[in-house]
Amino acid sequence: MKFIDEVTLFTASGHGGAGCVAFRHEKFIEFGGPSGGDGGKGGDVIFVATSGLSTLLELRHRPHQKAEKGHNGMGKNRHGAGGEDLVIKVPVGTVVKDAETDEPLADLTEDGQKVILLKGGRGGQGNARFATATNKAPKFSQPGEEGEERKLRLELKLMADVGLLGLPNAGKSSLISKISAARPKIADYPFTTMVPSLGVVAYKNYRSFVVADIPGIIEGAHAGAGLGHRFLKHLERSGILLHLVDISWMPERDPLAEYQAVCRELALFSPELAAKEQVVVITKTDLPQTQERLAEIRAWFEGQKITVFPISSATGEGVEALLDEIARRLWADRDKG
């Protein structure tokens, strides 16, 4: 399925039904009086989060959505039926914004969470409502209220406890496939991962956490280089960021400069995201060239008071210690909460 994480919708709630002008006409009943019923309420526009969806693809093909209008009132004091609500199902983690002002309207973070964003118009009153002692036969009624219209932008932000961050080919997809059942494409060329993916890590004592893998970030992403900043929003909900660093390319490339470049790109995208807790993971320790320079690179990070976890997704070396550290930090935060 194609991964779509942004879509624009033109939505409208239903108009209220018009009130009716009618009079009672029955044999042997003189001056039956007004009997016009009220119009029905227009349908609301309701957004519902569901864990059964993982993309906004379906909505992309139906950009115009409108709730049903209320039915008009009828004679014999019969009220019109209310319009059917428009229920729009979205994946958990969807943020709904006003497309014109960029104002956040709803953040749907739980399965089954429901929010009414556009309310249907009220139905107009029939002429039976306006009968008084001085006006026993009113010949007027109310029209129904108009519904609301709004242009909305939906953004999906993946719900994950841990986010994987790093340059292309740093080993992010290899790691998520090692620790979870996720099977992203893995190859030895840049930008193998083109869309984000989620993996559930089954930890000890029946505990689990969710990891998000996004396409690699390169220097200049804020200016559109590579795949740009588009997918960084999927890390905003993560409690911990794993920053994967590949040192096997030394001395052709400087991994420390690349690490700092990715951190700068984070700050340019969102200072809040850049301030999140990071764990540095040095990958591909099964390679001889990585082992040769591991001590040097590790010393630099520890000099910056940054804890480093060397791992190999191919052999599994260091992976269990990394998972233990992630679990310790995650559940320490949850216990505090």
Side-chain angles (χ1 to χ4, degrees):
M1 180 181 291
K2 190 173 182 181
F3 184 83
I4 301 296
D5 57 1
E6 287 187 10
V7 69
T8 299
L9 292 183
F10 300 87
T11 56
S13 58
H15 299 323
C20 176
V21 176
F23 294 91
R24 185 180 178 191
H25 296 284
E26 294 184 36
K27 192 175 182 181
F28 306 120
I29 296 179
E30 189 176 11
F31 306 115
S35 63
D38 300 338
K41 175 185 173 295
D44 299 330
V45 176
I46 303 173
F47 283 81
V48 179
T50 173
S51 58
L53 295 175
S54 59
T55 175
L56 298 170
L57 176 63
E58 185 178 346
L59 295 177
R60 187 176 191 179
H61 299 303
R62 296 188 294 121
H64 295 271
Q65 305 255 3
K66 188 173 184 178
E68 185 182 21
K69 73 182 292 286
H71 294 251
N72 295 334
M74 296 168 283
K76 298 184 180 179
N77 287 310
R78 291 175 294 173
H79 301 319
E84 185 176 352
D85 293 333
L86 171 64
V87 178
I88 300 176
K89 294 182 178 180
V90 296
V92 175
T94 299
V95 177
V96 185
K97 297 182 179 180
D98 186 298
E100 306 291 343
T101 64
D102 207 39
E103 174 192 359
L105 304 175
D107 190 359
L108 302 166
T109 58
E110 297 179 6
D111 187 30
Q113 185 178 348
K114 182 185 299 185
V115 61
I116 300 174
L117 284 186
L118 283 78
K119 292 192 175 182
R122 290 183 299 180
Q125 294 182 328
N127 68 332
R129 298 277 190 183
F130 299 100
T132 64
T134 56
N135 185 7
K136 296 183 178 181
K139 297 182 175 60
F140 59 88
S141 64
Q142 284 182 333
E145 280 187 348
E146 291 189 358
E148 302 175 356
E149 294 184 356
R150 207 161 195 176
K151 183 179 178 182
L152 302 174
R153 187 172 78 254
L154 277 59
E155 297 180 0
L156 174 59
K157 297 181 180 180
L158 296 180
M159 303 291 293
D161 302 300
V162 180
L164 302 185
L165 176 70
L167 290 170
N169 260 132
K172 300 184 297 298
S173 297
S174 297
L175 177 59
I176 197 172
S177 64
K178 178 69 177 179
I179 62 179
S180 75
R183 292 295 176 265
K185 184 178 179 180
I186 300 174
D188 59 353
Y189 54 83
F191 297 111
T192 309
T193 301
M194 298 298 290
V195 297
S197 61
L198 289 177
V200 179
V201 179
Y203 190 63
K204 304 169 186 175
N205 301 323
Y206 303 101
R207 286 185 162 186
S208 63
F209 54 87
V210 179
V211 177
D213 173 27
I214 68 166
I217 303 299
I218 65 174
E219 188 170 9
H222 67 281
L227 295 178
H229 277 165
R230 178 186 167 194
F231 294 112
L232 278 177
K233 64 185 176 185
H234 294 293
L235 300 181
E236 289 183 330
R237 300 187 191 276
S238 301
I240 299 174
L241 299 180
L242 296 189
H243 194 147
L244 276 62
V245 179
D246 176 12
I247 66 173
S248 64
W249 290 93
M250 292 178 68
E252 289 84 0
R253 286 164 34 186
D254 183 353
L256 301 179
E258 292 176 339
Y259 165 81
Q260 293 169 331
V262 173
C263 290
R264 282 195 299 272
E265 292 297 331
L266 277 186
L268 288 169
F269 174 76
S270 166
E272 292 78 14
L273 183 58
K276 281 185 177 292
E277 184 178 14
Q278 287 192 29
V279 176
V280 173
V281 180
I282 296 179
T283 59
K284 307 179 184 179
T285 57
D286 53 301
L287 300 179
Q289 55 268 41
T290 300
Q291 288 290 345
E292 289 175 11
R293 299 171 176 89
L294 179 58
E296 173 191 348
I297 299 300
R298 190 170 193 168
W300 184 89
F301 278 110
E302 291 177 351
Q304 307 295 316
K305 298 184 178 180
I306 299 173
T307 305
V308 174
F309 286 85
I311 69 159
S312 168
S313 298
T315 65
E317 179 186 4
V319 172
E320 185 174 353
L322 175 62
L323 295 182
D324 289 342
E325 178 65 14
I326 293 170
R328 184 188 69 79
R329 297 192 187 204
L330 281 178
W331 279 289
D333 292 341
R334 291 175 185 178
D335 292 342
K336 288 179 185 177

